[in-house]
Amino acid sequence: MNRNGYQHRFLVAPNNLSQTGFGIKGKQEFAPGWFVVFNASTGINPQSGLLANASATQIVNNGLPGQLFVRH
């Protein structure tokens, strides 16, 4: 129980638990019986619209304690 528990609320809020994926894949024959297969994909942060960049996240979080990580 808490003092604010008397009202019903439905809120839409970002949670940063997942990324949106974007990619392309395909198969192209370049000679009889020989194929090139490709699959390229990346994650997109739905809040900012920026592409996922694990290397930049590591640099930004360098030296911070585990509870204070900042995600890009």
Side-chain angles (χ1 to χ4, degrees):
M1 299 296 283
N2 67 37
R3 63 189 174 104
N4 297 324
Y6 67 93
Q7 293 179 343
H8 298 289
R9 291 191 177 129
F10 178 80
L11 302 172
V12 177
N15 63 13
N16 274 344
L17 293 178
S18 63
Q19 295 179 346
T20 300
F22 176 75
I24 184 171
K25 63 181 176 178
K27 176 178 152 182
Q28 179 66 43
E29 185 173 17
F30 67 91
W34 289 85
F35 295 88
V36 172
V37 178
F38 57 92
N39 183 5
S41 64
T42 188
I44 299 172
N45 182 336
Q47 288 179 303
S48 66
L50 298 174
L51 294 178
N53 188 342
S55 299
T57 301
Q58 292 294 328
I59 292 169
V60 169
N61 293 328
N62 192 19
L64 296 177
Q67 294 86 355
L68 299 177
F69 282 167
V70 177
R71 296 206 55 189
H72 284 279

